[in-house]
Amino acid sequence: MKFVFLPGMDGTGLLFNELILNIPKEIDREVVCLNEIQGVSYRQQAEQIAEKIESSSVVVVAESYSGRIAYELCNILGSRVSKVVFIASFVSCPGRLAKLAAVLPECVLKPNLFPNWLMKVLCFDGRGNRALMDQVRQAIAQVGPSVLKQRLLNIAELDEPKGHQSTTAVYIRPTNDHLVAYDAIKVLGNIYPQLSIESVEGGHFIAQTAPESCARVIVRAKTT
């Protein structure tokens, strides 16, 4: 069994570093870099990722932006996806802020224009330190504004998937996520009837502020 980690909107996978350090070394894992994939839409990205997955059984761990990719992988790979772990993620539009962000011009989609106080409130629920915010900026700086703009559009234009998924799913839900509305989690519950929710104290960037807690939930996915 292999664990496939799908990153948030930066796409680099670098923000998984602390989380991965808390995953036992004997667990086979792969961190996908979305920036190495040519696909633009969620479906295209999922198809290209699926082509590279050789394991007959995988646990997909999807953070934020990548939730819809995980959903599409379930459609493509079927029973080969043994479980999905969503980290502060979504498969439908996560809320009004996502629609507002999608209309921002490319010229303002630069990490240095996003003030620390706003990042701390929106992304970290007041818990992020300067070093962590710098890591986020460094990751986002590796992505061009046009790519970020397209990903924001992808999020804003998400429809609500129809039908149910038989795949077992776990949702790591931050206690104070200001970016993913409760309605988006309800949609996930409708699509994955076996969805279980694990609450972890913190904001949207929960894998970065509480990597140990998130890792425990992920590791349990191997045995439950």
Side-chain angles (χ1 to χ4, degrees):
M1 181 182 292
K2 187 171 193 173
F3 282 59
V4 177
F5 289 78
L6 306 177
M9 199 176 71
D10 66 287
T12 64
L14 296 175
L15 296 177
F16 277 143
N17 286 350
E18 287 298 317
L19 178 65
I20 295 297
L21 287 175
N22 286 277
I23 302 292
K25 293 181 179 179
E26 62 268 19
I27 290 180
D28 187 17
R29 88 289 300 267
E30 177 183 356
V31 177
V32 173
C33 178
L34 299 182
N35 305 321
E36 296 175 355
I37 296 171
Q38 293 182 344
V40 174
S41 70
Y42 273 115
R43 179 70 185 190
Q44 291 169 343
Q45 291 165 347
E47 288 172 345
Q48 291 172 26
I49 292 169
E51 289 175 359
K52 299 180 180 183
I53 295 177
E54 298 178 352
S55 176
S56 60
S57 180
V58 295
V59 173
V60 177
V61 181
E63 182 183 34
S64 192
Y65 170 86
S66 287
R68 187 59 175 254
I69 298 178
Y71 167 81
E72 297 292 352
L73 283 174
C74 289
N75 288 329
I76 296 167
L77 298 176
S79 61
R80 289 176 60 193
V81 179
S82 64
K83 185 169 289 189
V84 181
V85 180
F86 295 99
I87 306 176
S89 194
F90 44 86
V91 297
S92 57
C93 184
R96 293 180 181 176
L97 280 177
K99 292 186 180 295
L100 290 173
V103 301
L104 293 173
E106 285 185 21
C107 62
V108 304
L109 298 179
K110 298 178 180 179
N112 61 320
L113 296 180
F114 197 40
N116 277 345
W117 69 266
L118 185 57
M119 183 185 294
K120 194 168 186 176
V121 171
L122 278 183
C123 303
F124 295 98
D125 189 43
R127 302 165 195 268
N129 57 36
R130 180 65 65 87
L132 197 48
M133 288 186 278
D134 286 344
Q135 289 175 26
V136 172
R137 283 198 172 85
Q138 289 166 11
I140 295 176
Q142 297 192 31
V143 191
S146 62
V147 175
L148 287 175
K149 176 70 174 181
Q150 182 59 58
R151 289 177 185 165
L152 286 171
L153 286 171
N154 286 352
I155 294 171
E157 294 172 357
L158 276 173
D159 58 357
E160 185 175 326
K162 305 301 180 184
H164 298 310
Q165 289 281 358
S166 59
T167 310
T168 304
V170 179
Y171 192 89
I172 297 177
R173 183 186 182 191
T175 53
N176 294 291
D177 192 339
H178 301 300
L179 299 181
V180 180
Y182 178 66
D183 284 348
I185 302 174
K186 284 174 63 178
V187 170
L188 258 176
N190 292 334
I191 294 166
Y192 292 86
Q194 300 184 59
L195 182 73
S196 62
I197 296 178
E198 299 271 356
S199 293
V200 178
E201 191 75 23
H204 184 71
F205 277 62
I206 197 66
Q208 291 71 45
T209 56
E212 301 93 345
S213 299
C214 291
R216 284 195 292 270
V217 175
I218 292 167
V219 171
R220 282 203 301 271
K222 185 178 181 182
T223 57
T224 58

